[in-house]
Amino acid sequence: MDITLPELEQVINYWRALRPSTGEERALSPEVNALADVYAMMIFTKAHSLPYASLEPAARQLVDAWRTQKK
């Protein structure tokens, strides 16, 4: 199973809504930060999708939570 770039954007937006940026510096939440790393690498490598299994465990848990709430 893969995760596509548009799906990852949806996951990030879901977590941004649940855990918005904080402080004057508008720091990302740990959840959004973990997903932003994946997003940045996909953009850098021009990947349209990634194998789900290649995600770090924390990122997989965040994607799973998003997929569960979508159902």
Side-chain angles (χ1 to χ4, degrees), residues 2-12 66-67 70:
D2 287 351
I3 183 158
T4 66
L5 192 58
E7 285 177 319
L8 184 58
E9 289 170 345
Q10 290 177 23
V11 177
I12 290 170
W66 170 75
R67 284 184 172 154
K70 250 180 52 162

Side-chain angles (χ1 to χ4, degrees), residues 46-68:
K46 298 180 178 143
H48 296 283
S49 65
L50 285 176
Y52 173 79
S54 72
L55 299 176
E56 294 289 326
R60 282 197 308 264
Q61 289 177 339
L62 296 168
V63 171
D64 289 344
W66 170 75
R67 284 184 172 154
T68 299

Side-chain angles (χ1 to χ4, degrees), residues 13-30:
N13 289 333
Y14 169 77
W15 284 103
R16 284 182 61 210
L18 288 180
R19 298 286 310 271
S21 301
T22 58
E24 289 182 28
E25 70 282 354
R26 307 304 298 164
L28 296 176
S29 69

Side-chain angles (χ1 to χ4, degrees), residues 39-40 60 65 71:
Y39 185 80
R60 282 197 308 264
K71 292 180 180 178

